[in-house]
Amino acid sequence: MNADGFPVVPVGGHSGHVEADYGDIGGKPADVTDDQSLSQSMSRVAAADGTDISFDPYFATREDANRNQSTTKYNRQPLTLKWEDLKFEVPVGRSATGLPCLKGNEEKGMKTILSGCSGEIRPGGLLAIMGSSGAGKTTLLNLLAGRVTSAKGSQSTGRVLVNGEKRDFSKFRQVASYVLQDDDLFAELTVREQVEFGAMLRLPNTMPVEKKQLAVDRVITELSLSKVANTNIGNELVRGVSGGERKRVSIGTELVTNRSMLFLDEPTRGLDAFNALNVISTLRRLAYNGRTVVTTIHQPRSNIYSMFDMLLLLSQGRVMYFGPAKDAVAYFSALSFHCPAQFNPANYFIDLVSVDSRSPDAEAVTKKRVAVLADKYSNSAPMITEYGEDSEAGSQRIANEADTQLRKRKYQNSWFTEVRYLAVRACKQMVRERTANFSRLGQTIVFSIVLGLIWLNAGRNDTAADARSLVGILFFLLINQCFGGAVAV
């Protein structure tokens, strides 16, 4: 019996606590199999009614066994994304604004955000971009997603290839989706309505409504949102779904068009460890279904780290490591930087490549270490990957599919259809915003009484004063309606 009164039955002859060594691959000890690690890390615990309530800490890693069992894996065009020698610079000092700088800030020139970044991610792979704050993670993600080419005064060099061909931005946006850090969703809409709205506007008008509804149902099921499909999304002020579910709704809104490539900026931001695990599990499942998934993430827990196929580690805009996530610990160990046992590799890597600015001496040492690691990586041979699909085999089929899928209209629906769906959404929001509606009603009643008292019996006579009063009333009502509409928006 344990401390809570549950009967404990040892599995495989083991009992007691078994320490897990995260120092090898970040998910489980490298020298044991799945079955062995299960028996060593878990004892079967039964509730009073005999229900098995035991917990497997490696359940996320064990899902690898179903990696290639998806029935929808080839329902979309596979895309391989490759980037070569990406560099991004922004102006600083006088060059940034064209105005004189404050005293002490006269330095001007270009600041390098990214320097010589290269890599590749294939269909079926999940790439995690990690690094400390200011390392250039979001900048790299935006460059890969085609959201940043060259801002005012900035300069970008290098090239991005899609299936070996130069990227066409107009076509690339039709097969790739981008999920922002913040969930810009409507709190008054339900989960299903939010996903439906994206489907109705972004799927072609030639597709029957029944097929669009099937696509919505498939996305909701794939993201494990069926239980909250009819629940309002909510926000900080309006009660709704949980943070992890809200993040999955954001992913589903982009996923409903069956895009082949998915970019996400900090999808676990603001989530607790369990909800973060659920979100990354969803992304891994989406990747294994044939998509190419690229995400930035900040210090994931160890079993989240074990889900990544590829890891790109950045520091000060330079690549510290790019290759299979499971080989990162061995790579740094070969450079005499050993990740301690029972230590989260993600935390170790962030600490290893971060610049410590608390003192001049610490800053100098850490900058030197970052420079050495960057030079070591740039001089090392490319690492062999063993994941995803071989997109080169059958490249002609992929090219034909690309021509079919990318040859689309700029707008999938007519302007009348878009206005109709926007009007329906606005009406639903207005009806469901009870607090705002009561506020508007109270404001209208108060203004009606006040204005009625001010202009009481005005305009009953045909005098010039009454005419001016009528003009004043009409002017005030017009201004009130204009400003009231602006406040409502």
Side-chain angles (χ1 to χ4, degrees):
M1 302 286 287
N2 62 10
D4 296 323
F6 294 125
V8 178
V9 182
V11 177
H14 294 273
S15 61
H17 175 68
V18 179
E19 296 181 347
D21 184 359
Y22 296 109
D24 294 319
I25 62 173
K28 63 183 178 183
D31 56 346
V32 295
T33 64
D34 284 339
D35 294 335
Q36 288 174 336
S37 63
L38 173 61
S39 63
Q40 292 179 1
S41 62
M42 163 184 155
S43 296
R44 183 174 295 116
V45 182
D49 59 356
T51 303
D52 185 4
I53 59 173
S54 53
F55 174 68
D56 176 12
Y58 299 124
F59 71 95
T61 305
R62 222 172 301 285
E63 290 179 357
D64 256 352
N66 300 323
R67 172 170 179 158
N68 295 319
Q69 297 178 4
S70 172
T71 59
T72 62
K73 189 172 184 179
Y74 298 101
N75 288 350
R76 64 192 59 83
Q77 171 202 357
L79 293 179
T80 295
L81 186 69
K82 185 176 182 180
W83 56 101
E84 299 176 348
D85 198 24
L86 288 184
K87 187 176 182 180
F88 189 77
E89 297 178 326
V90 295
V92 295
R94 184 185 296 267
S95 300
T97 61
L99 299 175
C101 300
L102 297 176
K103 187 176 181 180
N105 290 330
E106 291 83 0
E107 181 182 357
K108 58 183 179 179
M110 303 296 290
K111 178 181 179 181
T112 301
I113 305 298
L114 282 177
S115 178
C117 186
S118 302
E120 180 183 14
I121 180 70
R122 299 201 300 268
L126 174 57
L127 167 64
I129 303 175
M130 287 176 49
S132 58
S133 299
K137 303 187 297 296
T138 301
T139 300
L140 175 59
L141 186 73
N142 290 335
L143 285 172
L144 297 180
R147 293 173 62 90
V148 174
T149 51
S150 57
K152 183 178 180 181
S154 63
Q155 299 177 0
S156 59
T157 58
R159 62 175 185 166
V160 178
L161 305 176
V162 180
N163 284 348
E165 301 292 335
K166 184 178 180 180
R167 178 174 57 183
D168 185 331
F169 286 101
S170 61
K171 296 179 180 180
F172 184 71
R173 293 189 179 97
Q174 297 176 7
V175 295
S177 294
Y178 189 99
V179 180
L180 299 170
Q181 282 190 26
D182 300 319
D183 303 321
D184 294 330
L185 304 172
F186 294 95
E188 293 77 16
L189 297 182
T190 65
V191 170
R192 180 176 297 278
E193 289 171 342
Q194 180 69 41
V195 179
E196 278 182 354
F197 181 76
M200 296 304 173
L201 287 186
R202 301 173 69 179
L203 292 175
N205 56 0
T206 56
M207 179 183 292
V209 177
E210 293 77 11
K211 288 190 176 181
K212 293 182 180 180
Q213 292 291 350
L214 289 176
V216 172
D217 294 337
R218 184 168 58 249
V219 167
I220 290 176
T221 302
E222 192 171 14
L223 297 177
S224 303
L225 294 171
S226 300
K227 292 184 179 180
V228 295
N230 298 316
T231 304
N232 287 351
I233 295 174
N235 54 21
E236 293 79 7
L237 302 177
V238 180
R239 191 172 182 178
V241 298
S242 67
E245 291 166 340
R246 190 178 299 117
K247 179 63 68 175
R248 278 180 275 164
V249 174
S250 297
I251 298 173
T253 304
E254 298 294 334
L255 203 64
V256 71
T257 53
N258 203 25
R259 302 296 176 88
S260 300
M261 191 168 292
L262 192 60
F263 298 93
L264 304 100
D265 190 13
E266 296 282 0
T268 60
R269 178 186 178 189
L271 302 180
D272 60 79
F274 181 73
N275 279 316
L277 177 63
N278 289 338
V279 170
I280 300 300
S281 298
T282 299
L283 295 182
R284 190 179 73 161
R285 187 164 59 250
L286 296 176
Y288 290 172
N289 287 348
R291 296 180 179 89
T292 306
V293 182
V294 181
T295 180
T296 61
I297 194 167
H298 186 67
Q299 287 187 294
R301 54 189 283 189
S302 56
N303 52 354
I304 288 179
Y305 176 84
S306 67
M307 297 183 188
F308 300 138
D309 294 302
M310 300 292 288
L311 171 67
L312 196 157
L313 194 60
L314 288 174
S315 181
Q316 294 190 320
R318 301 186 65 183
V319 179
M320 304 290 105
Y321 173 83
F322 178 73
K326 62 183 180 65
D327 296 336
V329 172
Y331 170 81
F332 285 106
S333 296
L335 300 178
S336 300
F337 294 101
H338 304 282
C339 180
Q342 302 179 6
F343 203 94
N344 184 356
N347 292 340
Y348 177 77
F349 297 149
I350 295 296
D351 294 342
L352 179 65
V353 302
S354 296
V355 175
D356 189 352
S357 302
R358 291 178 295 178
S359 66
D361 293 338
E363 183 174 2
V365 171
T366 51
K367 281 187 175 180
K368 184 64 176 179
R369 181 169 64 235
V370 167
V372 169
L373 290 175
D375 293 337
K376 289 285 187 181
Y377 171 78
S378 62
N379 295 328
S380 62
M383 307 192 79
I384 300 175
T385 59
E386 300 177 355
Y387 74 94
E389 304 172 6
D390 185 2
S391 59
E392 294 182 0
S395 58
Q396 185 61 42
R397 175 183 64 84
I398 293 175
N400 294 336
E401 292 178 356
D403 291 340
T404 302
Q405 182 166 345
L406 295 178
R407 194 180 295 127
K408 297 180 179 179
R409 296 166 52 190
K410 183 177 181 181
Y411 300 104
Q412 302 299 331
N413 293 277
S414 64
W415 67 269
F416 178 79
T417 302
E418 293 180 354
V419 170
R420 179 163 62 90
Y421 281 112
L422 288 170
V424 170
R425 186 184 68 179
C427 291
K428 288 182 179 180
Q429 288 183 267
M430 291 179 61
V431 171
R432 296 174 184 176
E433 289 179 344
R434 295 183 179 181
T435 303
N437 290 336
F438 280 116
S439 300
R440 295 190 187 102
L441 178 61
Q443 181 182 3
T444 302
I445 294 174
V446 171
F447 269 100
S448 299
I449 295 174
V450 172
L451 296 179
L453 293 175
I454 293 176
W455 279 285
L456 184 63
N457 295 323
R460 292 183 180 275
N461 300 318
D462 295 334
T463 62
D466 286 343
R468 286 193 297 270
S469 296
L470 290 176
V471 172
I473 293 173
L474 294 175
F475 176 77
F476 187 88
L477 291 176
L478 179 62
I479 294 299
N480 182 64
Q481 288 298 317
C482 292
F483 279 98
V487 172
V489 173

